[in-house]
Amino acid sequence: MTELRKTVETFWAAAQARDWAAFAGTLAEDVLYDLPQTRERVGGRERYVRFNREYPGDRRVRVERVVADEEGAVSWIHCTVDGETVPAVTFFTGDAEGRIRTVTDFRPEPYEPPAGREHLVTRY
């Protein structure tokens, strides 16, 4: 098992448990998060943790599979927000310390992001 795979598994477990300290521990300081369906980008560990911590609604994640090698990792998840479940595929790259450097999260359909997170994201 690759170090990045372990980190990604910890990332999802911490997100599900809402253990934001453990979640932050999986991330490089300069992590970059992209969500193409909403055209949002979040840069930096502190902002990305806040983005997740402040996410509106009751959000749950079920990990179906994580695949990783020396160059990156991908996860297939089901994300449930307020009773609606959608699949997602998330791509990760790591840094030299085994932390997550980039996260690109693909959902099935484009959508407008929830209001209230403009202070944490850049739209493109």
Side-chain angles (χ1 to χ4, degrees):
M1 183 183 312
T2 68
E3 187 173 349
L4 184 56
R5 179 187 173 125
K6 291 178 194 174
T7 303
V8 168
E9 289 172 346
T10 301
F11 168 94
W12 286 123
Q16 177 64 16
R18 290 165 176 66
D19 181 345
W20 303 121
F23 184 83
T26 68
L27 305 172
E29 182 68 35
D30 59 349
V31 66
L32 185 62
Y33 173 68
D34 273 307
L35 186 57
Q37 286 67 35
T38 60
R39 301 175 329 278
E40 293 176 290
R41 179 170 292 140
V42 179
R45 179 189 301 149
E46 182 180 326
R47 291 171 77 107
Y48 186 46
V49 171
R50 281 188 65 195
F51 177 88
N52 282 277
R53 187 178 65 233
E54 296 174 7
Y55 197 90
D58 180 32
R59 181 174 57 163
R60 302 286 171 207
V61 176
R62 186 178 79 241
V63 178
E64 296 293 337
R65 186 163 189 177
V66 175
V67 177
D69 64 18
E70 301 78 31
E71 298 191 22
V74 63
S75 65
W76 167 32
I77 66 166
H78 285 91
C79 185
T80 302
V81 178
D82 295 333
E84 182 181 346
T85 301
V86 296
V89 175
T90 307
F91 292 87
F92 300 86
T93 63
D95 66 10
E97 288 78 37
R99 294 172 300 187
I100 295 167
R101 171 88 173 87
T102 64
V103 182
T104 305
D105 202 2
F106 289 96
R107 306 298 167 106
E109 300 290 332
Y111 61 96
E112 285 303 308
R117 59 191 196 193
E118 298 83 6
H119 62 293
L120 298 171
V121 304
T122 301
R123 294 286 307 266
Y124 57 90

